C-alpha cells in the first residue's frame, strides 16, 4: 500500500516511491506497478493526475478525484501558484543561497520526442536553491581521497523537464544518483560506500490553496529508507527533523 499523505472528498496525495512510474506508458510496456492504478485500487476511486514526478524522484504527488477539480489544480500549477520544495544531495560544497535563471532547451527522449521540434527555442527556467548542510566523507571516489556533499533545498518556479537535475549540473553540483545528467563515478560511490543507488531528489513539500475551499494547504512527505540511511551516515538527521521517519510503512503493494 502507498502512504497516503492527505485525502478529502476532492483530493488525494501520496508519497510516491522512487522508481515508480506515475501512470502506464507505452515506453515501459513491461512495467506492472504504477502510482495511479495503485491509488485507484487502494481508495476504490478513479484519480486524475495534475502534475508529475520523474520516475526516480520520490515525494509528494497530488491527484484529483474529479475532472473538475483536476482542471482547477492544473490551472494553479500552470500559473505557478503552487510552491514546490524539494531536497537533494549534490556533489561538492555549495556555500551560498541564490536563484538560477537559466533557460533550458527541450530535453528530448529519442523515442518519446522523436516527432517534436528539435529547434525549439530554450524555455525560461528559474530555480531558487539554498544549502542546508555540508559533509566531507573519508572515502576515495575518482581521483580524490575524500568526497564532499551538500544537502540542498530547491524551489523551482517553472516546471521544465528535469529542471532541477539540469540546473544543478549547470552549477557543477550534480544531484547524486542522476544517471542522465550527473556524475557517474559519484553515483557508483554513493551506492558502494553508502548503500544508496537511487536519485537523491525528494519532493518534500507542496503548498497551495485548496481548489474548492480556498484554504491554504501544505502537504509533506517523509524520506524513504535509502534517504534516511544517507542522512544518518552524514549526520544530517537533525537538519530536517520534520522529514525523519520514525516508522516505515509496510512493503508497497502492486497495481492491477
Amino acid at each position: 500500500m502507498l502512504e497516503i499523505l492527505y485525502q478529502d472528498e476532492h483530493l488525494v496525495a501520496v508519497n510516491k516511491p522512487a522508481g515508480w512510474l506515475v501512470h502506464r506508458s507505452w515506453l515501459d510496456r513491461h512495467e506492472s506497478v504504477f502510482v495511479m492504478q495503485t491509488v485507484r485500487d487502494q481508495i476504490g476511486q478513479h484519480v486524475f493526475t495534475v502534475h508529475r514526478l520523474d520516475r526516480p524522484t520520490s515525494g509528494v504527488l497530488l491527484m484529483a478525484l474529479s475532472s473538475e477539480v483536476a482542471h482547477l489544480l492544473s490551472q494553479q500549477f500552470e500559473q505557478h501558484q503552487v510552491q514546490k520544495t524539494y531536497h537533494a544531495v549534490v556533489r561538492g560544497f555549495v556555500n551560498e543561497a541564490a536563484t538560477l535563471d537559466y533557460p533550458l532547451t527541450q530535453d528530448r527522449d529519442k523515442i518519446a520526442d522523436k516527432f517534436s521540434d528539435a529547434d525549439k527555442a530554450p524555455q525560461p527556467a528559474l530555480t531558487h536553491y539554498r544549502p542546508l548542510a555540508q559533509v566531507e566523507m573519508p572515502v576515495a571516489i575518482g581521483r580524490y581521497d575524500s568526497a564532499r556533499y551538500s544537502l540542498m533545498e530547491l524551489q523551482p518556479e517553472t516546471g521544465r523537464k528535469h529542471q532541477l537535475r539540469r540546473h544543478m549540473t549547470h552549477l557543477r553540483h550534480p544531484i547524486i544518483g542522476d544517471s542522465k545528467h550527473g556524475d557517474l563515478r559519484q553515483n557508483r560511490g554513493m551506492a558502494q560506500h553508502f548503500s544508496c543507488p537511487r536519485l537523491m531528489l525528494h519532493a518534500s513539500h507542496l503548498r497551495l490553496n485548496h481548489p474548492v475551499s480556498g484554504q491554504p494547504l501544505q502537504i509533506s512527505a517523509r524520506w524513504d529508507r535509502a534517504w534516511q540511511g544517507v542522512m544518518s551516515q552524514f549526520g544530517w538527521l537533525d537538519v530536517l527533523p520534520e522529514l525523519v521517519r520514525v516508522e516505515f510503512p509496510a512493503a508497497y503493494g502492486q497495481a492491477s
Side-chain angles (χ1 to χ4, degrees), residues 88-94 148-152 154 168 172-176 186 190 200 234 236:
V89 177
V90 306
R91 181 189 72 187
F93 284 176
V94 181
R148 292 181 172 186
Y149 303 100
S150 295
L151 176 62
M152 302 295 296
L154 307 174
M168 293 313 299
R172 302 186 182 277
H173 295 288
I175 298 175
I176 300 299
Q186 288 289 341
M190 179 66 75
M200 293 301 291
F234 287 3
W236 289 345

Side-chain angles (χ1 to χ4, degrees), residues 79-90:
Q79 296 168 8
H80 310 302
Q81 296 172 347
V82 178
Q83 183 179 34
K84 297 170 284 187
T85 300
Y86 293 76
H87 289 97
V89 177
V90 306

Side-chain angles (χ1 to χ4, degrees), residues 4-55:
I4 294 179
L5 306 172
Y6 177 87
Q7 184 177 0
D8 61 24
E9 60 182 311
H10 305 291
L11 311 172
V12 62
V14 300
N15 192 351
K16 174 193 170 296
W20 280 43
L21 290 168
V22 173
H23 53 68
R24 296 182 188 275
S25 168
W26 63 271
L27 293 173
D28 297 277
R29 286 172 250 174
H30 303 298
E31 289 296 325
S32 60
V33 179
F34 306 90
V35 175
M36 281 188 66
Q37 284 75 19
T38 301
V39 176
R40 177 201 66 195
D41 295 344
Q42 188 169 331
I43 69 174
Q45 191 171 350
H46 191 67
V47 296
F48 299 79
T49 57
V50 294
H51 71 123
R52 297 182 183 182
L53 292 177
D54 292 339
R55 181 176 186 164

